[in-house]
Amino acid sequence: MESFVEEEERQPGLEGRSTQLLMTVPLTQTQALGSVFDSSFSDIETFVLVSYLAFLCPETPFHTKAHPPPVTNFSVYVKNLCTIYWKWSPPEGVTTTCELWYNSHLGEEKVPSNSVMVSKNNFRIEEVALNERICLQVTSQCNVESTNTSDPVEMCTEPPRGDPESAVTRLQCIWHNLSQMNCTWLPGKTAPPDTSYILHYWYNTLGKSFQCSNFYTEGQLNGCSFDLLGKNVSSSDKIQIMVTDTTGTIRPSYSIINLNNVKPDHPILTNLSLQNDSLYVEWESPANFGSNCLVYQVEVNNSKSMERKVHEPKSKCHITETSPELKENSKNKNCFVIHDVDPDAAYTVRVRAKASKFCFEDSDLWSAWSQKKHIGQKHDSKIHTITLLFIPVAISISTLLLLLYLKRLKIIIFPPIPDPGKIFKEMFADQNDDTLQWKKYDIYEKQIKEETDSVVLVENLKRTSQ
């Protein structure tokens, strides 16, 4: 080793010349490099020299590995409704010392957040809504952390056919009470008004996609619902949806539905009780939900103070807190205690529920309110309405009767005074009528007499002429 150092000291510039030699020799063959120095150095000295030169020149081709070739036989196909399968073959001409890894990247927008994946698998499967063209780029590398990758190879799906303006919009689905999926949408701008829609759906436990048959309309919205029981799926599953029409006129629309958009049925309010200035509320939970998978709101209206309060129970009330009337069944039901209530007031109570963040994603999909229950002073709305209608009618009838009665009473109290002028007027009117009748009779008699005389005269003239 000392002779090596001395030789290096005696020959300045050896470092540069050795580097030049090192760059002109195939560096993947250390033995060939060693043969260059066999005439001057031993095996140990040659190894030390090579290591030393490698340390001094880290960027030389000794440390540079060639890029692996690109993958081959790249293909893509779609299964179910929105499941994309990409598959490829390993690159050709890879050395046995190369441990192949594949870097795949979804290059289009609206793709999952984990769009980049490094794996030894020569395939990739993704659930993506196929409303646009979806492309995957794949490169190969000889180490999981290597930056020396092959040239990328890209494979894309075909976009759906048809006018994009004809595709349905606002496609959304709500899982109703963990038993039924309700999907609604708006027609596309250029879709014909008489379009007959078709909805296909698929999820993990189904062998094939099925067609929804229970169509309905809600104003401008079109919809379809199908059975989806919670026991057949898990919260991590996804539902693949495709909406098109029977004639293929409109462009298909796809959607991937996460099973977190849950809307429960309304609770059933079973009992109310007032005990010791406390109001006990009891209700039954909607079916199909676990004990911690729902949160509730209890609305209480005080008819005396016209005050409305909404309570959100954080936990069930204990059996010891429950009124004697509710103790028997409280283990299987929900209850809530409101303290310091007015015992003389009437209360109206109702309850609603939504899915809990412990089981599903937190959302504002509250159920409908339960039917109202009343406690305290009874208020019959029908009687109240009838009373309001009866009062004005009764007042009108009473006023009319009073007016009639007052008119009759006036006649009795103040009888009419006789008018002598009317009596004489009637008498003279009768006499005038008799005079007129006699005059008419005289004129009639006179006319008859003249007509008779004329007839007699004519008869006499005829006899005289004969």
Side-chain angles (χ1 to χ4, degrees), residues 126-343:
E126 291 289 344
E127 286 186 283
V128 183
L130 301 176
N131 296 313
E132 304 292 342
R133 191 176 78 145
I134 307 297
C135 295
L136 183 74
Q137 290 184 353
V138 177
T139 59
S140 60
Q141 57 196 54
C142 289
N143 189 293
V144 66
E145 297 180 355
S146 174
T147 58
N148 272 341
T149 61
S150 69
D151 293 333
V153 180
E154 185 177 72
M155 183 62 65
C156 303
T157 63
E158 291 294 330
R161 297 180 179 179
D163 181 8
E165 296 292 330
S166 66
V168 302
T169 59
R170 290 179 56 185
L171 174 59
Q172 60 178 353
C173 297
I174 296 175
W175 196 10
H176 186 78
N177 209 52
L178 303 184
S179 61
Q180 190 175 62
M181 185 66 76
N182 295 337
C183 298
T184 57
W185 61 88
L186 284 173
K189 293 182 180 179
T190 61
D194 58 346
T195 300
S196 179
Y197 292 98
I198 298 175
L199 185 144
H200 292 274
Y201 62 93
W202 179 90
Y203 50 90
N204 195 34
T205 56
L206 294 180
K208 61 177 182 178
S209 62
F210 283 83
Q211 183 174 326
C212 180
S213 58
N214 186 24
F215 284 88
Y216 59 91
T217 56
E218 292 179 352
Q220 295 182 348
L221 289 174
N222 293 277
C224 193
S225 62
F226 54 90
D227 294 334
L228 181 63
L229 298 179
K231 63 182 181 180
N232 296 334
V233 293
S234 66
S235 58
S236 61
D237 286 341
K238 298 178 180 179
I239 311 298
Q240 299 180 8
I241 302 291
M242 181 188 73
V243 178
T244 182
D245 66 326
T246 55
T247 61
T249 304
I250 69 171
R251 179 170 177 162
S253 182
Y254 298 86
S255 182
I256 307 292
I257 306 299
N258 293 316
L259 294 181
N260 289 313
N261 212 15
V262 179
K263 183 177 182 179
D265 272 341
H266 64 78
I268 300 176
L269 193 57
T270 56
N271 211 339
L272 299 177
S273 177
L274 281 171
Q275 297 287 334
N276 300 324
D277 296 339
S278 295
L279 175 61
Y280 295 83
V281 184
E282 187 183 66
W283 66 90
E284 292 182 358
S285 300
N288 305 325
F289 288 90
S291 58
N292 295 321
C293 290
L294 291 173
V295 294
Y296 302 93
Q297 283 186 345
V298 180
E299 182 190 78
V300 181
N301 289 278
N302 186 330
S303 62
K304 185 176 181 180
S305 63
M306 304 302 293
E307 185 180 14
R308 174 185 176 270
K309 288 185 177 180
V310 177
H311 306 269
E312 293 190 5
K314 301 301 181 182
S315 61
K316 294 183 179 179
C317 60
H318 300 290
I319 302 302
T320 55
E321 295 182 0
T322 312
S323 66
E325 300 159 357
L326 307 179
K327 280 184 179 180
E328 296 181 1
N329 300 322
S330 289
K331 291 183 179 180
N332 301 321
K333 296 182 180 180
N334 302 279
C335 62
F336 180 61
V337 183
I338 305 171
H339 299 285
D340 300 327
V341 298
D342 186 355

Side-chain angles (χ1 to χ4, degrees), residues 4-237:
F4 170 73
V5 175
E6 292 176 357
E7 181 71 13
E8 185 178 358
E9 291 177 353
R10 287 194 302 267
Q11 299 181 15
L14 176 63
E15 180 179 354
R17 291 197 300 272
S18 300
T19 305
Q20 185 177 1
L21 288 171
L22 186 63
M23 295 178 65
T24 59
V25 176
L27 299 179
T28 57
Q29 299 179 3
T30 308
Q31 294 178 353
L33 178 64
S35 65
V36 177
F37 302 97
D38 279 347
S39 59
S40 303
F41 307 107
S42 65
D43 293 340
I44 296 176
E45 292 171 339
T46 302
F47 173 76
V48 172
L49 177 61
V50 172
S51 301
Y52 177 68
L53 293 175
F55 173 75
L56 294 176
C57 305
E59 300 301 327
T60 60
F62 182 82
H63 287 273
T64 305
K65 295 183 179 179
H67 293 273
V71 299
T72 59
N73 300 326
F74 200 5
S75 62
V76 61
Y77 66 96
V78 178
K79 190 178 179 181
N80 306 320
L81 297 175
C82 301
T83 306
I84 309 176
Y85 285 78
W86 283 281
K87 190 175 181 180
W88 57 88
S89 299
E92 298 176 353
V94 179
T95 62
T96 57
T97 59
C98 178
E99 184 183 6
L100 277 175
W101 289 76
Y102 302 102
N103 186 314
S104 59
H105 174 252
L106 283 168
E108 298 291 333
E109 297 180 355
K110 301 179 181 178
V111 295
S113 58
N114 56 341
S115 59
V116 178
M117 182 182 297
V118 180
S119 171
K120 286 187 175 182
N121 297 327
N122 64 334
F123 63 89
R124 182 164 175 177
I125 303 172
E126 291 289 344
E127 286 186 283
V128 183
L130 301 176
N131 296 313
E132 304 292 342
R133 191 176 78 145
I134 307 297
C135 295
L136 183 74
Q137 290 184 353
V138 177
T139 59
S140 60
Q141 57 196 54
C142 289
N143 189 293
V144 66
E145 297 180 355
S146 174
T147 58
N148 272 341
T149 61
S150 69
D151 293 333
V153 180
E154 185 177 72
M155 183 62 65
C156 303
T157 63
E158 291 294 330
R161 297 180 179 179
D163 181 8
E165 296 292 330
S166 66
V168 302
T169 59
R170 290 179 56 185
L171 174 59
Q172 60 178 353
C173 297
I174 296 175
W175 196 10
H176 186 78
N177 209 52
L178 303 184
S179 61
Q180 190 175 62
M181 185 66 76
N182 295 337
C183 298
T184 57
W185 61 88
L186 284 173
K189 293 182 180 179
T190 61
D194 58 346
T195 300
S196 179
Y197 292 98
I198 298 175
L199 185 144
H200 292 274
Y201 62 93
W202 179 90
Y203 50 90
N204 195 34
T205 56
L206 294 180
K208 61 177 182 178
S209 62
F210 283 83
Q211 183 174 326
C212 180
S213 58
N214 186 24
F215 284 88
Y216 59 91
T217 56
E218 292 179 352
Q220 295 182 348
L221 289 174
N222 293 277
C224 193
S225 62
F226 54 90
D227 294 334
L228 181 63
L229 298 179
K231 63 182 181 180
N232 296 334
V233 293
S234 66
S235 58
S236 61
D237 286 341

